[in-house]
Amino acid sequence: MENVKEFVQKMEMDTRVAALMTGAACAVGALVLLVRKGISHKKTNDKIQIARDRRTESLQQAELAVLRYKESRPSIDSARILNLSLSELTKQLKSGSLTPEDVFYSYMEKTLDVHKNLNCCTGVLLESFDQLKTIASNKDGLLYGVPVSIKENIAYKNHDSSCGVVINLDQPAKEDSVLVQVLKRQGAIPFVKTNLPQGLLNYDCGNPIYGQTVNPHNFQKTSGGSSGGEGALVGGGGSVLGLGSDIGGSIRIPAAFCGISGFKPTAGRISSQGVKPIYRGQKSVLSSAGPMAKDVESLALCMQALLCDHMFSLDPTIPPIPFNVQVYESTKPLRIGYLENDGYLQPSPSMVRAIREVKALLEQAGHTLVPYSPLKISYLVTELLIKGVFADGAATLLKKLKGSPLDPCLKAQVLPYYLPKWLKKALSFLLKPLASRTSVILNAICGDYIQEMIAEWRRCNIDVLLCPVIGPAFNHLYCGRVTTALTCTMIYNLLTFPAGVVPVTTVTAEDEQELQHYTGIYQDRWDRLFKQAVSQSEGLPVAVQCVALPWQDELCLRFMKEVEQLVKQSRK
């Protein structure tokens, strides 16, 4: 009996020891995880701080250089230089009535001032000061002496293209992108990199590395994205010409929000070598690099400069089709399709008014306007756009975001991506009778239309298309919550059609009053959020979108120029 008691007591003691050891092991394990997490968090913060310090240092060095130059050239008329259009600027640089130095330092000074208010730059390209010293060797270039800003994801040797995610920091480019090489050959001086949203796939412009970029017309509004730094800098007057990239409206939306012109060329017309994406291998919705400027003539001049033998030799995958000046300068009356509403997003009152006013101006100028509507819009959104971009269920994007703090502008958008597939499917089923758009989109992110669209285009016998672009600029933190608004721009990435935007009007008090009665097409949460996003926008710019068939980029630009000129004449 005593032996049994001793055995039981020993067992109880062993159990207590085992429990204590297990508890201690769990505590140690938890402590190790916390320490690892703390170390990882510190590494992330250190990386971010190094990137911010690098930006601050480049801005300070540029500021000192500007001060020294201004002291040596007190008579420089920077205001006159900054008021010149790109075509006027290039003419005066070629003739020698302006020096590249005066132009460069005038724009550098203005960029530094604009950045202080808008937070639009990720760093000054200090190598541009050295390029300025040897610029005379490229005097025959179409962009001789022109300072050009570039989006942060466009490779420039020895500089990061982070795309706003921490994992991409400290990976400087080994060589310039093809676009940068061509710009330099044409005499342009890439001088600053501009901000973008975390992970690129958002039409706001904030990330945890460089912060939030704001709108030059109203600091309470976003500049748009993903080329939002470019939109803000050009719209604020700090750059005469910028290069962005566009996979769902990323040139056109910030251009529209910031009151400038922007152009997305046909996919494959401009080299993408060295233009860093988040998704590699996604082929159904294609990205295009393109120019952003204050007027259409500047966009056309940039396209003419880029579409040269040098680009075709650097990137043999690009078809060697030079810019067709004859098509761009044609004055032949056009047959123009138009739409006010794509059937998925009910435009804001100012967007609708912009289309109607431009339609009337075009008809008065002798063009023929034909009603047009895109085919199968609901199928297009879920089956082609969302499933195309998120064919991997957003796994690649989430992998890039791992270990990085989430920017506020992205949180609402990516939350559904983190849900397990079974839960997305369940929610999609449960929400079907209550929120049909939410249901189908949740289902879509679980894992030939172009020819039909071209056939419809031919049936209507139209040359180009006039349609809305999202606007006016959204209030902060709404872009990630109203992803449904992207249909009016993203469709032309899927179709690979060239498309551009031109500012044509501003929001009126009457537009704001009419917005109070806005309900949308679906009258769901997204429609209500869109109404909130565009509220309190009186005075902000509103644009229209111009579209052409693939490879007819010059015709699209010609149409944009027609709209721009007619609007200017109507104001006189």
Side-chain angles (χ1 to χ4, degrees):
M1 192 67 180
E2 289 297 323
N3 289 339
V4 172
K5 283 182 179 179
E6 284 178 17
F7 178 75
V8 170
Q9 287 171 352
K10 186 178 180 184
M11 284 292 292
E12 287 174 350
M13 188 175 294
D14 287 347
T15 304
R16 285 196 295 271
V17 170
L20 285 169
M21 289 179 69
T22 302
C26 289
V28 169
L31 185 61
V32 168
L33 286 174
L34 282 171
V35 169
R36 281 183 180 172
K37 192 172 182 181
I39 292 170
S40 175
H41 185 66
K42 185 178 184 307
K43 283 181 178 178
T44 296
N45 286 342
D46 288 347
K47 270 189 165 187
I48 291 172
Q49 192 58 52
I50 288 167
R52 289 175 181 172
D53 290 345
R54 194 181 297 128
R55 172 173 70 169
T56 300
E57 185 181 349
S58 72
L59 292 166
Q60 289 172 346
Q61 286 189 44
E63 197 164 3
L64 285 172
V66 168
L67 285 171
R68 284 195 295 267
Y69 188 78
K70 296 281 280 189
E71 287 171 1
S72 69
R73 291 269 295 155
S75 61
I76 182 175
D77 190 353
S78 291
R80 185 182 76 84
I81 291 170
L82 296 172
N83 281 329
L84 294 172
S85 68
L86 179 61
S87 58
E88 292 169 333
L89 189 65
T90 53
K91 285 173 189 171
Q92 295 197 26
L93 282 163
K94 290 265 187 185
S95 69
S97 58
L98 276 178
T99 68
E101 290 79 10
D102 282 357
V103 173
F104 177 84
Y105 282 101
S106 294
Y107 269 101
M108 184 66 80
E109 181 181 37
K110 182 65 175 177
T111 287
L112 295 171
D113 286 341
V114 170
H115 172 74
K116 286 173 185 174
N117 291 322
L118 307 183
N119 188 41
C120 52
C121 300
T122 62
V124 172
L125 300 168
L126 296 174
E127 295 87 343
S128 59
F129 291 92
D130 294 324
Q131 189 192 344
L132 183 62
K133 295 171 186 175
T134 60
I135 196 66
S137 61
N138 296 108
K139 195 165 185 178
D140 292 334
L142 291 178
L143 298 174
Y144 166 69
V146 176
V148 177
S149 50
I150 60 173
K151 188 176 178 180
E152 197 263 4
N153 69 320
I154 298 174
Y156 192 101
K157 188 176 179 180
N158 297 327
H159 289 264
D160 284 340
S161 292
S162 73
C163 302
V165 296
V166 176
I167 199 170
N168 286 344
L169 288 174
D170 298 329
Q171 297 180 37
K174 293 178 181 177
E175 62 178 0
D176 290 341
S177 63
V178 167
L179 291 178
V180 168
Q181 292 180 59
V182 175
L183 285 173
K184 288 180 176 179
R185 177 66 70 89
Q186 290 283 18
I189 307 172
F191 74 114
V192 66
K193 275 197 162 194
T194 54
N195 204 24
L196 36 62
Q198 185 178 24
L200 289 176
L201 290 175
N202 187 276
Y203 62 109
D204 206 324
C205 192
N207 63 73
I209 305 167
Y210 301 111
Q212 175 76 42
T213 300
V214 299
N215 192 291
H217 300 278
N218 183 334
F219 297 169
Q220 303 309 309
K221 300 280 185 172
T222 176
S223 62
S226 61
S227 307
E230 282 301 322
L233 185 60
V234 176
S239 176
V240 70
L241 177 65
L243 277 189
S245 61
D246 188 313
I247 195 172
S250 293
I251 286 173
R252 290 159 288 159
I253 294 168
F257 281 12
C258 297
I260 63 172
S261 295
F263 181 61
K264 178 202 81 70
T266 301
R269 185 82 192 266
I270 296 286
S271 176
S272 61
Q273 283 189 21
V275 182
K276 192 166 187 174
I278 279 293
Y279 284 102
R280 291 195 183 277
Q282 188 276 114
K283 300 292 184 186
S284 58
V285 184
L286 298 176
S287 176
S288 297
M292 303 171 74
K294 288 211 169 177
D295 57 67
V296 178
E297 192 71 30
S298 301
L299 306 179
L301 181 57
C302 181
M303 288 296 292
Q304 190 175 352
L306 292 174
L307 294 170
C308 64
D309 289 341
H310 189 52
M311 185 181 75
F312 304 143
S313 64
L314 288 171
D315 187 353
T317 67
I318 300 300
I321 309 170
F323 190 83
N324 191 325
V325 178
Q326 188 176 353
V327 171
Y328 175 66
E329 293 181 348
S330 168
T331 56
K332 185 184 77 170
L334 297 169
R335 189 172 167 88
I336 302 164
Y338 75 94
L339 63 95
E340 294 179 3
N341 185 327
D342 66 6
Y344 199 78
L345 169 73
Q346 171 61 42
S348 64
S350 58
M351 290 166 68
V352 173
R353 180 174 58 80
I355 292 290
R356 290 175 181 172
E357 289 177 358
V358 171
K359 172 182 176 285
L361 290 173
L362 288 164
E363 285 177 326
Q364 289 167 19
H367 302 286
T368 303
L369 277 291
V370 180
Y372 183 88
S373 59
L375 303 170
K376 301 186 293 190
I377 190 70
S378 294
Y379 166 80
L380 164 86
V381 173
T382 56
E383 297 302 312
L384 300 179
L385 293 179
I386 297 173
K387 286 187 177 180
V389 173
F390 296 111
D392 63 349
T396 304
L397 177 63
L398 298 183
K399 186 178 178 182
K400 288 285 187 181
L401 295 174
K402 192 175 181 181
S404 174
L406 268 183
D407 193 81
C409 73
L410 196 64
K411 279 183 180 177
Q413 179 181 330
V414 302
L415 179 61
Y417 306 162
Y418 284 101
L419 300 177
K421 185 176 179 179
W422 66 267
L423 184 54
K424 290 175 194 170
K425 288 282 188 184
L427 288 171
S428 173
F429 176 77
L430 293 170
L431 288 170
K432 198 167 187 178
L434 304 171
S436 59
R437 279 202 290 184
T438 306
S439 169
V440 294
I441 286 173
L442 278 170
N443 188 53
I445 60 175
C446 293
D448 186 5
Y449 184 80
I450 294 176
Q451 294 306 318
E452 286 182 43
M453 193 72 158
I454 291 173
E456 178 66 9
W457 191 290
R458 296 262 163 78
R459 189 189 68 78
C460 294
N461 190 26
I462 58 174
D463 300 306
V464 288
L465 177 67
L466 173 71
C467 52
V469 62
I470 306 170
F474 281 18
N475 294 312
H476 288 305
L477 304 183
Y478 275 91
C479 292
R481 301 166 70 190
V482 196
T483 51
T484 48
L486 288 168
T487 53
C488 60
T489 53
M490 200 171 182
I491 180 175
Y492 305 111
N493 295 86
L494 173 75
L495 295 167
T496 71
F497 288 12
V501 299
V502 183
V504 296
T505 187
T506 55
V507 179
T508 64
E510 290 76 17
D511 293 329
E512 284 287 293
Q513 279 185 322
E514 194 175 337
L515 182 66
Q516 299 305 311
H517 308 292
Y518 179 95
T519 57
I521 294 172
Y522 290 82
Q523 300 180 24
D524 58 8
R525 174 176 173 271
W526 272 313
D527 282 334
R528 291 190 291 274
L529 285 171
F530 177 75
K531 178 181 177 180
Q532 294 167 21
V534 299
S535 65
Q536 299 177 323
S537 296
E538 188 174 347
L540 287 182
V542 182
V544 295
Q545 185 171 204
C546 304
V547 185
L549 289 175
W551 308 107
Q552 295 186 9
D553 302 72
E554 294 86 348
L555 179 60
C556 186
L557 286 162
R558 180 254 152 129
F559 179 35
M560 292 169 66
K561 181 175 67 171
E562 182 82 358
V563 169
E564 180 183 71
Q565 289 176 344
L566 290 172
V567 169
K568 283 180 181 176
Q569 289 168 13
S570 71
R571 287 172 182 168
K572 290 177 183 177

